Each structure stands twice: as structure tokens, then as C-alpha cells.
């Protein structure tokens, strides 16, 4: 029975590692395409059937929020892997990983809130008056 549990944990860890690699790959693609579209030149893919949905409304705020949420997702996967192997790990290490994850999460929420306020000010034409 103990070998079966160990085998299941190894399979779960392998699957989580694959998910982690996919999320990091998607993050890299998003940074490359979104960064180019935002800061270099428009890609002009309006009629292309494979255009990513998020590319229609990409800007610096959107990129920051998407990147921060991707980091939260990647951090969640690492934290889940840590929790699966918790009996093998030091409690101090687990505590720091949880604190780092919470920091990522709070930073993402702050970025999203700031973008929401900035968009609202911009839509109402108050941005110049507020700053």
C-alpha cells in the first residue's frame, strides 16, 4: 500500500511539473507577442483565424495583469507540489513559499485595482485633473 501511495505522488508531481512547464511556455509566448504588439509594432492580424483573443485589447496594463496572474498560477503549482511533499520539507521553507505566494497574489490584486482605477479615470477624462 505504501508503494502505491508513493507511485501516485510521483505521478501527481510529474503531472504538476508538466502543467508548470505549459504555464511558463504560455507566459513566455504572451510576453513575446504582447510586448512586441504593445511596444514595437502592430502585428495586423485582424482577419487571421488564429489571433489570440487577448491580443485585441492588449496594452501595458493588460500585460502587467496577465503576467502577474500567470506568476500566481505558477506559484500555485509550486506550492501544491510543496504541499504534496510536505512531510519531506522543512516547515520554515514551506512558510516562506506560502508568504511568497501571498505576496504574488496581493501584488496581482493591487495591479488589477490600479488598472481599473486608471481605466475609469481615463474613460471619464479625469486623468489629467487627478495627476
Amino acid at each position: 500500500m505504501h508503494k502505491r501511495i508513493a507511485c501516485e505522488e510521483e505521478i501527481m508531481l510529474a503531472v504538476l511539473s508538466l502543467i508548470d512547464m505549459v504555464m511558463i511556455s504560455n507566459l513566455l509566448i504572451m510576453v513575446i507577442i504582447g510586448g512586441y504588439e504593445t511596444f514595437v509594432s502592430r502585428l495586423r492580424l485582424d482577419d487571421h483565424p488564429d489571433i489570440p483573443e487577448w491580443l485585441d485589447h492588449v496594452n501595458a496594463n493588460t500585460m502587467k495583469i496577465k503576467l502577474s496572474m500567470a506568476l500566481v498560477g505558477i506559484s500555485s503549482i509550486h506550492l501544491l507540489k510543496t504541499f504534496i511533499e510536505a512531510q519531506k520539507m522543512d516547515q520554515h521553507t514551506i512558510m516562506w513559499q506560502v508568504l511568497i505566494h501571498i505576496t504574488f497574489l496581493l501584488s496581482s490584486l493591487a495591479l488589477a485595482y490600479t488598472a481599473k482605477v486608471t481605466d475609469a479615470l481615463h474613460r471619464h477624462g479625469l486623468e489629467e485633473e487627478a495627476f
Side-chain angles (χ1 to χ4, degrees), residues 69-103:
M69 293 309 296
L71 287 174
V72 168
I74 292 166
S75 175
S76 297
I77 296 295
H78 281 272
L79 199 55
L80 185 56
K81 288 164 67 173
T82 297
F83 288 157
I84 290 171
E85 297 182 314
Q87 71 276 5
K88 300 175 191 172
M89 298 187 78
D90 179 31
Q91 285 184 348
H92 191 72
T93 303
I94 295 171
M95 179 199 67
W96 277 109
Q97 287 185 3
V98 169
L99 289 174
I100 290 169
H101 178 72
I102 290 171
T103 303

Short mmCIF file of all heavy atoms in Angstrom, two decimals, residues 69-103:
data_model
loop_
_atom_site.label_atom_id
_atom_site.label_comp_id
_atom_site.label_asym_id
_atom_site.label_seq_id
_atom_site.Cartn_x
_atom_site.Cartn_y
_atom_site.Cartn_z
N MET A 69 -0.92 37.45 -13.00
CA MET A 69 -1.80 36.31 -12.76
C MET A 69 -1.13 35.00 -13.19
O MET A 69 -1.33 33.96 -12.55
CB MET A 69 -3.14 36.50 -13.49
CG MET A 69 -3.97 37.64 -12.92
SD MET A 69 -4.20 37.58 -11.13
CE MET A 69 -5.12 36.08 -10.94
N ALA A 70 -0.33 35.05 -14.24
CA ALA A 70 0.41 33.85 -14.65
C ALA A 70 1.42 33.47 -13.57
O ALA A 70 1.60 32.28 -13.25
CB ALA A 70 1.11 34.08 -15.99
N LEU A 71 2.07 34.47 -12.98
CA LEU A 71 3.01 34.19 -11.88
C LEU A 71 2.29 33.60 -10.67
O LEU A 71 2.81 32.70 -10.01
CB LEU A 71 3.76 35.45 -11.48
CG LEU A 71 4.82 35.92 -12.47
CD1 LEU A 71 5.39 37.27 -12.03
CD2 LEU A 71 5.92 34.90 -12.60
N VAL A 72 1.08 34.08 -10.39
CA VAL A 72 0.29 33.50 -9.30
C VAL A 72 -0.04 32.05 -9.61
O VAL A 72 0.06 31.17 -8.75
CB VAL A 72 -0.99 34.32 -9.05
CG1 VAL A 72 -1.95 33.58 -8.13
CG2 VAL A 72 -0.64 35.68 -8.46
N GLY A 73 -0.40 31.77 -10.86
CA GLY A 73 -0.70 30.39 -11.25
C GLY A 73 0.52 29.48 -11.13
O GLY A 73 0.42 28.35 -10.62
N ILE A 74 1.65 29.95 -11.59
CA ILE A 74 2.88 29.16 -11.50
C ILE A 74 3.26 28.96 -10.04
O ILE A 74 3.64 27.85 -9.63
CB ILE A 74 4.02 29.85 -12.29
CG1 ILE A 74 3.71 29.80 -13.79
CG2 ILE A 74 5.37 29.22 -11.99
CD1 ILE A 74 4.57 30.71 -14.63
N SER A 75 3.13 30.00 -9.24
CA SER A 75 3.41 29.88 -7.81
C SER A 75 2.46 28.89 -7.14
O SER A 75 2.86 28.14 -6.25
CB SER A 75 3.30 31.26 -7.16
OG SER A 75 3.45 31.17 -5.77
N SER A 76 1.21 28.88 -7.58
CA SER A 76 0.23 27.93 -7.03
C SER A 76 0.64 26.49 -7.31
O SER A 76 0.51 25.62 -6.44
CB SER A 76 -1.15 28.19 -7.63
OG SER A 76 -1.62 29.46 -7.29
N ILE A 77 1.11 26.24 -8.52
CA ILE A 77 1.56 24.90 -8.87
C ILE A 77 2.74 24.48 -8.00
O ILE A 77 2.78 23.37 -7.46
CB ILE A 77 1.93 24.81 -10.37
CG1 ILE A 77 0.71 25.07 -11.25
CG2 ILE A 77 2.56 23.48 -10.71
CD1 ILE A 77 -0.38 24.05 -11.14
N HIS A 78 3.69 25.39 -7.83
CA HIS A 78 4.85 25.07 -6.98
C HIS A 78 4.44 24.83 -5.54
O HIS A 78 4.95 23.94 -4.87
CB HIS A 78 5.89 26.19 -7.06
CG HIS A 78 6.72 26.14 -8.29
ND1 HIS A 78 7.87 25.41 -8.37
CD2 HIS A 78 6.55 26.70 -9.51
CE1 HIS A 78 8.39 25.53 -9.58
NE2 HIS A 78 7.60 26.32 -10.29
N LEU A 79 3.49 25.62 -5.07
CA LEU A 79 3.01 25.46 -3.70
C LEU A 79 2.27 24.14 -3.54
O LEU A 79 2.43 23.46 -2.52
CB LEU A 79 2.11 26.63 -3.33
CG LEU A 79 1.87 26.91 -1.87
CD1 LEU A 79 3.18 27.09 -1.12
CD2 LEU A 79 1.00 28.14 -1.70
N LEU A 80 1.50 23.76 -4.53
CA LEU A 80 0.82 22.46 -4.49
C LEU A 80 1.82 21.31 -4.46
O LEU A 80 1.65 20.34 -3.69
CB LEU A 80 -0.13 22.33 -5.68
CG LEU A 80 -1.02 21.09 -5.73
CD1 LEU A 80 -1.86 20.97 -4.46
CD2 LEU A 80 -1.91 21.14 -6.95
N LYS A 81 2.87 21.43 -5.25
CA LYS A 81 3.93 20.41 -5.22
C LYS A 81 4.58 20.36 -3.84
O LYS A 81 4.88 19.28 -3.32
CB LYS A 81 4.98 20.71 -6.30
CG LYS A 81 4.47 20.42 -7.70
CD LYS A 81 5.32 21.05 -8.79
CE LYS A 81 6.68 20.54 -8.95
NZ LYS A 81 7.37 21.10 -10.13
N THR A 82 4.78 21.52 -3.24
CA THR A 82 5.35 21.57 -1.90
C THR A 82 4.43 20.90 -0.89
O THR A 82 4.90 20.14 -0.03
CB THR A 82 5.59 23.04 -1.49
OG1 THR A 82 6.55 23.60 -2.37
CG2 THR A 82 6.10 23.13 -0.06
N PHE A 83 3.13 21.15 -0.99
CA PHE A 83 2.19 20.55 -0.05
C PHE A 83 2.14 19.03 -0.20
O PHE A 83 1.95 18.31 0.77
CB PHE A 83 0.80 21.15 -0.20
CG PHE A 83 0.69 22.55 0.30
CD1 PHE A 83 -0.31 23.38 -0.17
CD2 PHE A 83 1.57 23.07 1.22
CE1 PHE A 83 -0.43 24.69 0.29
CE2 PHE A 83 1.47 24.38 1.69
CZ PHE A 83 0.46 25.18 1.22
N ILE A 84 2.29 18.55 -1.43
CA ILE A 84 2.30 17.10 -1.65
C ILE A 84 3.51 16.46 -0.99
O ILE A 84 3.43 15.38 -0.42
CB ILE A 84 2.25 16.77 -3.16
CG1 ILE A 84 0.87 17.13 -3.72
CG2 ILE A 84 2.57 15.30 -3.43
CD1 ILE A 84 0.77 17.05 -5.22
N GLU A 85 4.64 17.15 -1.03
CA GLU A 85 5.88 16.64 -0.44
C GLU A 85 6.16 17.25 0.94
O GLU A 85 7.30 17.28 1.39
CB GLU A 85 7.06 16.95 -1.37
CG GLU A 85 6.97 16.27 -2.71
CD GLU A 85 8.18 16.59 -3.55
OE1 GLU A 85 8.59 17.77 -3.63
OE2 GLU A 85 8.73 15.64 -4.13
N ALA A 86 5.13 17.74 1.62
CA ALA A 86 5.31 18.48 2.87
C ALA A 86 6.04 17.68 3.94
O ALA A 86 6.82 18.25 4.71
CB ALA A 86 3.96 18.95 3.40
N GLN A 87 5.82 16.38 4.00
CA GLN A 87 6.47 15.58 5.04
C GLN A 87 7.98 15.51 4.86
O GLN A 87 8.71 15.28 5.81
CB GLN A 87 5.87 14.16 5.12
CG GLN A 87 6.21 13.25 3.97
CD GLN A 87 5.31 13.41 2.75
OE1 GLN A 87 4.47 14.29 2.71
NE2 GLN A 87 5.51 12.57 1.76
N LYS A 88 8.47 15.78 3.66
CA LYS A 88 9.90 15.74 3.38
C LYS A 88 10.57 17.11 3.52
O LYS A 88 11.78 17.21 3.41
CB LYS A 88 10.15 15.25 1.95
CG LYS A 88 9.61 13.87 1.66
CD LYS A 88 9.80 13.54 0.20
CE LYS A 88 9.05 12.29 -0.19
NZ LYS A 88 9.09 12.07 -1.63
N MET A 89 9.75 18.15 3.73
CA MET A 89 10.29 19.51 3.69
C MET A 89 10.31 20.15 5.08
O MET A 89 9.53 19.79 5.96
CB MET A 89 9.48 20.36 2.73
CG MET A 89 9.53 19.86 1.31
SD MET A 89 8.74 20.97 0.17
CE MET A 89 10.01 22.20 0.00
N ASP A 90 11.15 21.14 5.20
CA ASP A 90 11.27 21.92 6.42
C ASP A 90 10.08 22.90 6.50
O ASP A 90 9.70 23.51 5.51
CB ASP A 90 12.60 22.69 6.37
CG ASP A 90 12.82 23.57 7.58
OD1 ASP A 90 12.34 23.20 8.67
OD2 ASP A 90 13.50 24.61 7.43
N GLN A 91 9.52 23.05 7.69
CA GLN A 91 8.38 23.96 7.87
C GLN A 91 8.75 25.40 7.55
O GLN A 91 7.92 26.16 7.05
CB GLN A 91 7.85 23.86 9.30
CG GLN A 91 7.06 22.61 9.56
CD GLN A 91 6.46 22.61 10.96
OE1 GLN A 91 6.81 23.43 11.81
NE2 GLN A 91 5.54 21.68 11.20
N HIS A 92 9.99 25.77 7.82
CA HIS A 92 10.46 27.13 7.52
C HIS A 92 10.40 27.39 6.01
O HIS A 92 9.96 28.46 5.58
CB HIS A 92 11.89 27.28 8.06
CG HIS A 92 12.39 28.68 8.05
ND1 HIS A 92 11.93 29.64 8.92
CD2 HIS A 92 13.31 29.28 7.26
CE1 HIS A 92 12.55 30.77 8.66
NE2 HIS A 92 13.40 30.58 7.66
N THR A 93 10.80 26.42 5.23
CA THR A 93 10.76 26.55 3.76
C THR A 93 9.33 26.67 3.27
O THR A 93 9.02 27.50 2.41
CB THR A 93 11.45 25.33 3.11
OG1 THR A 93 12.78 25.24 3.59
CG2 THR A 93 11.45 25.43 1.60
N ILE A 94 8.45 25.84 3.82
CA ILE A 94 7.03 25.88 3.42
C ILE A 94 6.43 27.25 3.76
O ILE A 94 5.70 27.84 2.97
CB ILE A 94 6.24 24.75 4.10
CG1 ILE A 94 6.73 23.39 3.58
CG2 ILE A 94 4.74 24.90 3.85
CD1 ILE A 94 6.17 22.20 4.33
N MET A 95 6.76 27.76 4.95
CA MET A 95 6.24 29.06 5.37
C MET A 95 6.68 30.16 4.39
O MET A 95 5.88 30.99 3.97
CB MET A 95 6.73 29.41 6.77
CG MET A 95 6.24 30.77 7.26
SD MET A 95 7.18 31.45 8.62
CE MET A 95 8.77 31.76 7.88
N TRP A 96 7.95 30.15 3.99
CA TRP A 96 8.44 31.16 3.06
C TRP A 96 7.78 31.04 1.70
O TRP A 96 7.48 32.05 1.05
CB TRP A 96 9.96 31.11 2.94
CG TRP A 96 10.61 31.86 4.04
CD1 TRP A 96 11.31 31.34 5.10
CD2 TRP A 96 10.58 33.28 4.23
NE1 TRP A 96 11.72 32.36 5.93
CE2 TRP A 96 11.29 33.56 5.42
CE3 TRP A 96 10.04 34.34 3.53
CZ2 TRP A 96 11.45 34.84 5.92
CZ3 TRP A 96 10.21 35.62 4.01
CH2 TRP A 96 10.92 35.86 5.19
N GLN A 97 7.54 29.82 1.24
CA GLN A 97 6.87 29.64 -0.05
C GLN A 97 5.44 30.17 0.01
O GLN A 97 4.96 30.79 -0.95
CB GLN A 97 6.89 28.18 -0.47
CG GLN A 97 8.26 27.73 -0.93
CD GLN A 97 8.26 26.31 -1.47
OE1 GLN A 97 7.23 25.66 -1.56
NE2 GLN A 97 9.42 25.83 -1.83
N VAL A 98 4.74 29.94 1.11
CA VAL A 98 3.38 30.46 1.27
C VAL A 98 3.42 31.99 1.30
O VAL A 98 2.59 32.65 0.65
CB VAL A 98 2.72 29.88 2.54
CG1 VAL A 98 1.42 30.62 2.86
CG2 VAL A 98 2.46 28.39 2.38
N LEU A 99 4.35 32.57 2.02
CA LEU A 99 4.45 34.03 2.09
C LEU A 99 4.78 34.64 0.72
O LEU A 99 4.22 35.69 0.35
CB LEU A 99 5.50 34.45 3.12
CG LEU A 99 5.11 34.22 4.59
CD1 LEU A 99 6.28 34.54 5.51
CD2 LEU A 99 3.90 35.06 4.95
N ILE A 100 5.64 34.01 -0.02
CA ILE A 100 5.97 34.49 -1.38
C ILE A 100 4.73 34.41 -2.27
O ILE A 100 4.43 35.33 -3.04
CB ILE A 100 7.15 33.71 -1.97
CG1 ILE A 100 8.44 34.08 -1.22
CG2 ILE A 100 7.29 33.96 -3.46
CD1 ILE A 100 9.62 33.20 -1.53
N HIS A 101 3.98 33.32 -2.17
CA HIS A 101 2.76 33.16 -2.96
C HIS A 101 1.75 34.25 -2.59
O HIS A 101 1.13 34.85 -3.49
CB HIS A 101 2.16 31.76 -2.74
CG HIS A 101 0.88 31.55 -3.48
ND1 HIS A 101 0.84 31.39 -4.85
CD2 HIS A 101 -0.40 31.51 -3.06
CE1 HIS A 101 -0.42 31.25 -5.23
NE2 HIS A 101 -1.18 31.32 -4.16
N ILE A 102 1.57 34.50 -1.31
CA ILE A 102 0.64 35.55 -0.87
C ILE A 102 1.09 36.91 -1.39
O ILE A 102 0.27 37.74 -1.80
CB ILE A 102 0.49 35.54 0.66
CG1 ILE A 102 -0.27 34.28 1.10
CG2 ILE A 102 -0.21 36.79 1.17
CD1 ILE A 102 -0.28 34.05 2.59
N THR A 103 2.39 37.15 -1.41
CA THR A 103 2.93 38.41 -1.95
C THR A 103 2.59 38.54 -3.43
O THR A 103 2.16 39.61 -3.89
CB THR A 103 4.44 38.48 -1.73
OG1 THR A 103 4.72 38.35 -0.33
CG2 THR A 103 5.02 39.78 -2.26
#
